[in-house]
Amino acid sequence: MEGQQRIGVLVELPEILREMGQDPATVIAGAGINPDLLRNPENSLSFIELDRLVQACVAATGCEHFGLLVGQRSTTASLGLVGRLMRTAPTLRDAILDLCTNQRRYVRGAVTYLVIQKDTAFWGYAIHHPGMKAIDQIGDGAMAAGFSFMKELVGAAPDEILISRRAPGNTAPYRLLFGSTPRFDAQQYAMAFPVSLLDRPVRSADRELRRILEKSVAAYWAVEQPSMTHTVARMLRARVIFPDISLEAVASELAMLPRTLNRRLQAEGKSFRELVNEARFEVARQLLAGTRMDVTDIALALGYANPSGFTHAFQRWSGVAPSEWRAS
């Protein structure tokens, strides 16, 4: 399925360009995008168009944190109907799951996820559309938006912001927004905070309105049902850096038996092992290209017991060793 991104907060992009001394129409049209498309938050771009647009903005402004500037203007209102639903949620957990569950309705090529590891919750964002070059900017924007949503919904901030990119030359804008320097060169784009915070009540919770909005959200978008392969690939991209990515765990989350999931994948010409390897290869390339993480640390993050196992696997996937791929 072709990657797709709802315009949402990108309606702010022309004003940001103007504030930085650029002519928005020239920059946006130069990326092959009709500037009028950014007037309506309900419009969509393909992920390839989004990639070109963000790269063009960074090139025109010379700003290494352009994505952060866009993302920090997000509010739940930027999410449209899903944002309204989030504001009626009883708890932060419910609000986050509103976004995670419904994001697939208008975004394809990236996944928003909530993963709990012991006493820590990770609210993260991952791109799985292949060949994206502006992952750093889009990821920065997602973290800025998530930070804004959390403050708006429950008046709290995460303990730590994880940024899966090399630190830019100037980290002051990040400190100014988040209140501290994020952990750059991380294995994921995510906000980390205590699990207990998930139970904090949302300030604007509204049970009656929520019932109405749940029906509205389900009816608003005509959703093309993704294949089982696409569904599992999306889930694995979010979870491949966490310990439990077994067939049993994924099948359980999909409310089906492992053998049923296997059969569905086989009918589409795929196996669960193939999809795990594809997810690992995609994440490995993103970490090698975008961060300064050591190959040993990348291997451990992807579940390999030792670097040699990861190196052999990467050579099968790409034809070269991880260090060679990074150097090229």
Side-chain angles (χ1 to χ4, degrees):
M1 301 175 74
E2 183 183 8
Q4 176 185 338
Q5 172 67 48
R6 178 177 170 275
I7 294 297
V9 73
L10 293 176
V11 296
E12 300 287 343
L13 192 146
E15 180 59 28
I16 295 172
L17 286 170
R18 275 190 288 270
E19 291 172 1
M20 302 183 79
Q22 301 298 317
D23 175 42
T26 300
V27 176
I28 296 167
I33 310 296
N34 182 347
D36 290 339
L37 200 63
L38 271 63
R39 296 181 184 275
N40 184 349
E42 298 302 328
N43 287 337
S44 294
L45 290 171
S46 74
F47 251 53
I48 298 303
E49 290 172 324
L50 174 65
D51 200 37
R52 287 205 313 265
L53 176 60
V54 174
Q55 289 183 78
C57 290
V58 172
T61 62
C63 180
E64 288 187 283
H65 59 275
F66 189 86
L68 193 78
L69 297 179
V70 177
Q72 70 185 25
R73 300 200 181 195
S74 289
T75 65
T76 56
S78 307
L79 299 173
L81 194 53
V82 171
R84 289 182 64 196
L85 181 65
M86 292 173 72
R87 291 196 297 275
T88 67
T91 67
L92 178 61
R93 182 196 303 269
D94 295 297
I96 293 173
L97 292 178
D98 284 340
L99 180 58
C100 295
T101 301
N102 291 293
Q103 183 207 35
R104 67 180 180 85
R105 297 178 182 275
Y106 55 87
V107 175
R108 290 176 183 146
V111 57
T112 300
Y113 59 88
L114 176 65
V115 173
I116 296 172
Q117 295 288 293
K118 297 181 179 178
D119 296 327
T120 302
F122 295 92
W123 183 8
Y125 176 89
I127 290 176
H128 57 86
H129 192 280
M132 296 287 288
K133 297 179 180 178
I135 289 176
D136 55 350
Q137 300 296 328
I138 298 170
D140 283 0
M143 290 302 95
F147 184 84
S148 171
F149 300 156
M150 198 165 169
K151 295 290 289 286
E152 176 188 347
L153 291 167
V154 297
D159 285 356
E160 188 174 30
I161 305 288
L162 309 178
I163 302 285
S164 190
R165 63 169 287 187
R166 296 179 178 89
N170 180 14
T171 59
Y174 296 83
R175 290 195 301 275
L176 181 63
L177 175 62
F178 299 129
S180 61
T181 303
R183 192 205 313 170
F184 290 98
D185 292 312
Q187 61 193 33
Q188 61 178 321
Y189 278 100
M191 296 182 295
F193 51 90
V195 169
S196 58
L197 192 56
L198 290 172
D199 295 323
R200 181 169 294 193
V202 170
R203 290 167 162 175
S204 52
D206 188 324
R207 184 181 301 175
E208 295 304 317
L209 179 57
R210 184 170 179 78
R211 289 197 186 101
I212 297 170
L213 289 174
E214 284 175 335
K215 295 177 182 177
S216 299
V217 168
Y220 188 76
W221 288 281
V223 181
E224 176 189 351
Q225 291 300 318
S227 66
M228 185 54 64
T229 297
H230 180 86
T231 299
V232 173
R234 189 173 184 272
M235 292 172 64
L236 289 174
R237 175 58 187 87
R239 291 158 178 78
V240 75
I241 59 169
F242 294 101
D244 190 3
I245 54 166
S246 66
L247 173 66
E248 291 73 19
V250 172
S252 175
E253 190 164 339
L254 292 170
M256 63 176 64
L257 295 172
R259 63 174 178 271
T260 303
L261 176 55
N262 251 337
R263 188 166 59 247
R264 294 277 299 275
L265 291 174
Q266 288 170 358
E268 295 175 5
K270 282 289 186 179
S271 71
F272 185 77
R273 182 181 292 275
E274 283 180 276
L275 293 177
V276 169
N277 285 335
E278 288 173 8
R280 283 175 169 157
F281 186 34
E282 178 63 30
V283 175
R285 285 180 293 177
Q286 289 185 13
L287 294 178
L288 287 167
T291 75
R292 296 185 178 89
M293 284 182 69
D294 186 86
V295 171
T296 298
D297 292 331
I298 294 175
L300 292 174
L302 292 174
Y304 290 90
N306 56 68
S308 62
F310 168 63
T311 297
H312 291 150
F314 195 89
Q315 285 177 317
R316 287 198 307 272
W317 300 329
S318 69
V320 296
S323 55
E324 294 178 69
W325 191 92
R326 172 177 266 172
S328 67

